[in-house]
Amino acid sequence: VPVPPAAGPGGDVALGPAVVRGGAIDLSGYRPGGPAEEQRRSDAAVARALAELAALRRSATGGPGPVGAVLEAHEALLVDPGLIEAVSAGIAAGAPAPTAWEDRLSALGGELEAMDDPYLRARAEDVRSVRQRVLAALAGAGAPEDAVPAEGPPAVLVVRELDAATAATLDPHRVAGVVTLAGGDTGHGVLVARSRGIPVYHDAGPAAAAVAPGTVVGFDARARRFVVDPDESTRRSLRELSAARAVEAERVLATAREPGATADGHPVPVLANVTTPADAGRAVAFGAQGCGLLRTEVLFGHLDDAPSVEAQAAAFAGIAEAFAGRPVTVRTWDVGGDKPLSFLPAPDEANPFLGERGLRLMRRAPEVLRDQLTAICLVARDHPVHVMFPMVSTAEEVAWALERLDEASSAIGGRPAGMRVGVMIEVPAAALAVRRVAQGLDFVSIGTNDLAQYTMAAERGNTAVSALADARQPAVLDLVSRVCAEVPEGTHVAVCGDLAGDPAAAVVLAGLGVEELSVVPTRVALVKARLRDVTLAGAQDLARRALACGSAAEVRALLAGAAGAIPA
Ligand code: PEP
Ligand code: MG
């Protein structure tokens, strides 16, 4: 897998002329005709938008999978009879086509943004993306993905937020980086861009909103530094930093294939979190020692009907093959909260994150879980595939899940030898009661994203409380430490939450006694390199100091100061 210079494992530096997108489309030159003419233009704009989306879907990253599903959702919106009728009614009543489209899509976007359901709120992003596409077509402007000029120095794209469709179509050779005004760090678009080696500076806010097209902007996302129209010496230092990161990337990649371990040889395998076979290939290229978390609800998130046992087994086998004999942990459906599945509708709840999520929802649909467990067991006969249950709160839930596993495996001749069974620890109750919850299990894997959300009572996707929902909160680290100390003898402790992908935090986790890490593919090599820079005693010392911190900010400062050869 080619790694673009200075990007790949944490390049995170960009400099270039700004291409500003997502602002108002210039319609000042638009001369409306009569209703018949406007209707014709509207139809032509829809046809062009659909053709653009179809072309994107045929592109390398827009095929089956999460990005393809986003593109399909955009297509579905453009052919939605209710929407088309409402736009036509507006045109018939005398509105120019751009006004009719803007009115309808702004109203729809506003309705979605006001929803309680985070999934529906996220759909507002799709509506805004479609709105830009249709208005660009009506204005005779280029398609959104053509905003970056084909010539000249690579540009820095400035967008309100980065949707997956756009992220999937950016050319890493033409786009030096992306700056978003809002939308957080873990949205799909940001993850897609980073996995394609494009540095992203997220939530730049008003400083970026005021940037005029063509102005040179630069950033170092690691240091959270964003500059507009930098002077020559700042430009030089950003270029040098970018070159230094490229050298670092090379050094890091050179040793990426070695097993994860501290300087004194204490093993800490570093695996990858993946959702697609393409991720799996990339993860192996970055040195992943297996897959510590396969998010099946994302892998199959685009389907309207539950995938059959055969379809699931084929997908799991494909990913296991990409990992070529390395272990792959398949997580059973983790539906609900911010992760809907159309074939497994979650109930309408006031607080979906506290409702029937993950394993809880499976108790309503045990046949859907049984099919998945059957597929996992079938693949586990030929590959080192393991199973993990999410969103566990009590030992009773674990017992229920293990009964379902026994049912599924005995129907096909018994549990495959070597298949390991574990649960996620992401609810504080499960962390506190790990002695009971993990009894008899082969492993637990701590989901620091949800553990932070539930420990701090701060929703993980809500930027207003993101400082609270930080896994570096001392209370969250305390729980991780407790899990390591109290887990039953013989049960391994892994971490697959995003905290493990922060190299300095990975050292703390190793020091706390975590035995295995699973991180985003592009972070594997960086995490390994950082672990190799410390001894186990050094990691334990850093962990002790982290536990003694009084706040997440103090922990962050400690980790930043603890930077060894690789700044986090
Ligand atoms: C977590 O909660 O930390 C986790 C790894 O699972 P997800 O992010 O898929 O909820
Ligand atoms: Mg989780």
Side-chain angles (χ1 to χ4, degrees):
V1 175
V3 180
D12 288 348
V13 179
L15 178 72
V19 168
V20 180
R21 244 210 48 199
I25 302 267
D26 181 11
L27 287 155
S28 57
Y30 191 87
R31 300 281 166 269
E37 171 62 11
E38 289 306 293
Q39 185 61 51
R40 194 195 58 72
R41 291 182 192 174
S42 169
D43 294 345
V46 170
R48 187 186 116 173
L50 286 171
E52 288 166 1
L53 289 167
L56 289 179
R57 275 216 286 139
R58 284 191 301 271
S59 72
T61 39
V67 174
V70 171
L71 299 171
E72 265 179 39
H74 291 193
E75 288 173 337
L77 192 60
L78 280 168
V79 296
D80 180 84
L83 176 65
I84 299 292
E85 261 171 44
V87 169
S88 297
I91 292 174
T99 311
W101 274 100
E102 267 210 272
D103 286 352
R104 275 319 301 153
L105 289 179
S106 301
L108 180 58
E111 280 163 29
L112 290 168
E113 263 170 76
M115 299 275 183
D116 282 337
D117 183 338
Y119 169 68
L120 291 175
R121 270 208 310 270
R123 293 281 330 262
E125 182 183 304
D126 293 332
V127 173
R128 284 193 292 273
S129 180
V130 167
R131 175 170 165 272
Q132 292 299 101
R133 189 174 291 285
V134 172
L135 292 182
L138 284 167
E145 50 279 4
D146 298 335
V148 178
E151 312 222 311
V156 173
L157 185 64
V158 179
V159 288
R160 198 186 108 91
E161 62 192 350
L162 185 60
D163 60 276
T166 304
T169 54
L170 298 175
D171 177 352
H173 299 287
R174 301 297 317 139
V175 180
V178 178
V179 173
T180 70
L181 305 188
D185 194 22
T186 52
H188 253 119
V190 173
L191 297 182
V192 169
R194 290 221 174 103
S195 74
R196 301 186 63 227
I198 300 173
V200 180
Y201 186 93
H202 66 93
D203 294 307
V211 167
T215 310
V216 171
V217 295
F219 64 77
D220 173 9
R222 268 193 218 171
R224 286 297 291 162
R225 176 160 171 246
F226 172 68
V227 287
V228 178
D229 195 17
D231 59 20
E232 194 40 52
S233 87
T234 309
R235 289 182 198 202
R236 198 175 327 113
S237 77
L238 277 170
R239 279 189 213 104
E240 283 166 9
L241 191 57
S242 174
R245 295 274 169 87
V247 171
E248 171 200 292
E250 254 170 57
R251 175 181 90 84
V252 158
L253 284 173
T255 51
R257 296 295 179 128
E258 290 168 23
T262 58
D264 51 338
H266 171 72
V268 187
V270 183
L271 291 76
N273 298 346
V274 306
T275 52
T276 63
D279 275 353
R282 208 175 287 127
V284 171
F286 282 125
Q289 291 171 266
C291 164
L293 168 62
L294 172 59
R295 289 184 166 102
T296 57
E297 68 285 349
V298 182
L299 175 62
F300 296 110
H302 57 293
L303 299 182
D304 290 329
D305 299 307
S308 64
V309 171
E310 294 71 30
Q312 292 187 64
F316 300 154
I319 286 173
E321 271 152 28
F323 276 103
R326 300 171 182 87
V328 172
T329 297
V330 181
R331 180 173 75 183
T332 62
W333 304 117
D334 187 18
V335 194
D338 60 345
K339 291 182 289 194
L341 264 189
S342 43
F343 57 85
L344 247 182
D348 192 14
E349 299 172 310
N351 292 297
F353 279 105
L354 300 178
E356 286 189 299
R357 269 194 79 183
L359 193 62
R360 302 172 182 183
L361 190 59
M362 289 301 115
R363 300 186 88 144
R364 265 176 189 263
E367 67 293 343
V368 176
L369 179 62
R370 184 202 53 220
D371 282 357
Q372 186 165 59
L373 292 172
T374 306
I376 296 169
C377 289
L378 286 172
V379 177
R381 288 171 172 175
D382 303 320
H383 301 277
V385 163
H386 312 297
V387 63
M388 175 161 78
F389 297 98
M391 265 306 280
V392 161
S393 308
T394 66
E396 185 273 335
E397 288 172 341
V398 179
W400 180 85
L402 294 180
E403 279 166 29
R404 302 289 78 74
L405 179 61
D406 279 345
E407 271 168 23
S409 59
S410 39
I412 58 162
R415 193 187 286 185
M419 187 174 89
R420 298 171 358 113
V421 182
V423 300
M424 290 197 65
I425 300 290
E426 47 188 349
V427 175
L432 293 169
V434 71
R435 243 189 265 265
R436 284 189 292 280
V437 166
Q439 196 60 55
L441 294 176
D442 298 306
F443 68 94
V444 295
S445 188
I446 304 176
T448 49
N449 307 335
D450 278 315
L451 188 60
Q453 149 166 280
Y454 293 127
T455 302
M456 303 306 298
E459 192 183 314
R460 56 195 274 188
N462 183 344
T463 25
V465 292
S466 56
L468 274 175
D470 186 345
R472 294 160 196 78
Q473 288 282 356
V476 180
L477 296 179
D478 265 342
L479 284 175
V480 173
S481 167
R482 180 164 174 149
V483 169
C484 293
E486 299 189 354
V487 74
E489 179 91 33
T491 304
H492 279 265
V493 179
V495 171
C496 63
D498 281 329
L499 182 67
D502 168 347
V507 171
V508 169
L509 293 172
L512 289 174
V514 171
E515 297 162 283
E516 181 182 296
L517 303 170
S518 192
V519 306
V520 289
T522 47
R523 286 296 172 102
V524 171
L526 266 185
V527 168
K528 279 184 173 178
R530 179 65 79 82
L531 288 168
R532 255 193 304 276
D533 284 338
V534 291
T535 59
L536 179 59
Q540 286 165 340
D541 179 54
L542 187 64
R544 258 191 303 277
R545 285 191 283 146
L547 286 176
C549 285
S551 67
E554 256 181 62
V555 174
R556 279 184 180 272
L558 172 73
L559 297 186
I566 301 161

